[in-house]
Amino acid sequence: MARLEGHCRSHYQEILIEEQAGTRSTSYSIGKPSIPHSHFVATAPAHNPVHTQFNWLPIPTPLDTAEEPPGSLDPLGTLAHAERLSDALLEGFTARMWRCRLLTFATVAAVVADRTVTLMGGREDLRLEARLAFERLFVSAIVQMAERDPEDYATAPRSLPGRNRARKALQEAEPLSTSNFLKGQAVNGPFGVIARLARQMGLVDDEGRMGRNAIGLVMAWAEDEGLPGLFDEESRAERAGALWMAEVVKRTSAYMGHRQWPHATHTIWKLIAQHLRTDQIGPKEQRTLLQLLDGTTVRRRVIGLLKDRVAIYRQASSKSGLRGKQERFVLLRGLKPALRNEPTDRLIAAVIEAIDCYEEIAGLFQQTFEGMIWGLKSRGGRARPEAVIGDDRLRPQFERTIASVTRMIPRIDRSMEQLRNQPSIDPLHLVNPMIRIRDDMVVASGSAVDLTTCVLRRHERVQREKRKAPWIERESHWTLLPGENRVAADAPPVRQDAYLHPFKIPNAYAMLADLRQVAVEVPDAEE
């Protein structure tokens, strides 16, 4: 069964969430053509602590002329609400963030961009370019030092966005530029993947400038790194921090203004890498980051539970490499039994139950949809509906799905009631989307025809809202349209006992490992 398990797919999941949430009217470059955003804006009271602001993509970027983005990752539109539920537990976390040091890098990048703008005449239109230029210097510095000193820097490039592109450019003796670095760098580079959490923590604002908590983190980092005077005036750049900042800004502006890329033996590479490497966080910086992560009540409690129950995560990881299996195991066997009868824990329990219900239904609908695709593939891509629905290998699966959906209706009703009973949860935000999938469940529970028709109508509605064509054209015959659907033709897809969508548990553990709060291996996630 085609699943959203691999880290490599999480790159696109965030874009699809934004697309479904419809909260941005601007097109964004993600290494594919821009995606229009046109429907469903979730709102909630300002006091609601678990309300997700869907402003995760940091800034509009120019269109990249590449192939069509694969909407195949979310054909039934179930990803956006899974993200809302995930955010209710780990606010600000995304499936692409693995290194906690990138929070500090993003904050320092905002300072460097500010200083560079000032050096270049105060031109605000250069702020984004300055940040992206420094980011390319940063990634190249980490990669170059790992090549020079592989023993000392062995883990520094791990899960660093853009490292493979930087390594290729280094091998070819080329500067790292917009043409050979990550497409849609503003979204997909180190700053972009951590920006949502950095904004939530007050480290940067929506324009990429320093946020309310930026100076505290930068000062803690500078003290650990032996860089006093980082905010000294440029005319008085005598202390180590001021000299470091002056040199970094000088190289950033030289690259921007004259395309002067530092030569391979330039001291700037070590100067950047030794102080911003992703695998070494100093004690004061650690404490500051932990305090900021503890900034919301629910996230603080969930992170505390994850630390206490790390043995459950290790057990889950040893049993399966599937992210969805690991996260289900940790939430149901680790966090849920440890919850107490108090307001924050009751909210967490309600959200975990909602996640488990929602993922069960999303998985069943996904299996049905992929089953129809398989049925068409095995018939050359075109068949009468009754031939697909009555297929000897699909029919028993459809019948089991109907029975499961029917049993799940009372459970999802109870789950929605639990959510409504939490004072800090806005029903419009977390409950109403579940009402819509519950309505689909009622329709789908009638017969195999009802099930397949319901799932296809849901898919058509989702594709229409994304302004894309459906994958299956329905007339007297069903026709599977060309495209990448990721359904193997050898056997009907079977849903695994795993969550379909990511809930950021491995990401949280990776961040905690960087902060030396748990002993787990930080995965080397794909770019």
Side-chain angles (χ1 to χ4, degrees), residues 22 42 60 83 97 225 245 292 315 347-348 392 416 517 520:
E83 284 294 323
M97 55 180 65
E225 297 294 326
M245 180 61 67
L292 292 171
Q315 183 182 353
L347 185 151
I348 294 170
D392 289 341
M416 290 189 293
Q517 299 298 298
V520 299

Side-chain angles (χ1 to χ4, degrees), residues 4 39 66 81 87 132 158 163 167 228 297 313 317 364 384 395 402 405 424 439 451 495 508:
L4 303 179
H39 85 289
H81 191 56
D87 209 56
L132 298 182
R158 182 172 292 180
R163 68 195 185 282
R167 191 175 293 117
T297 302
Y313 176 66
S317 300
L364 289 169
R384 296 188 67 84
R395 187 176 62 252
I402 291 167
V405 168
S424 58
D439 292 341
L451 172 65
R495 187 178 70 89

Side-chain angles (χ1 to χ4, degrees), residues 1-2 367-368 370-375 378-379 388 391-398 400 487-495:
M1 177 180 179
Q367 177 184 257
T368 300
E370 293 180 357
M372 288 185 280
I373 291 174
W374 174 86
S378 64
R379 290 166 173 79
V388 176
D391 183 282
D392 289 341
R393 284 178 286 183
L394 286 176
R395 187 176 62 252
Q397 186 183 93
F398 289 157
R400 290 192 296 271
V487 176
D490 52 350
V494 178
R495 187 178 70 89

Side-chain angles (χ1 to χ4, degrees), residues 21 40 42 50 52 54 79-88 429-430 433:
F40 189 73
V50 299
T52 304
F54 289 104
L79 179 58
H81 191 56
E83 284 294 323
R84 296 183 194 103
L85 292 168
S86 174
D87 209 56
H429 182 59
L430 287 186

Side-chain angles (χ1 to χ4, degrees), residues 186-199:
V187 175
N188 301 317
F191 187 102
V193 300
I194 205 74
R196 184 180 168 221
L197 184 59
R199 286 198 299 270

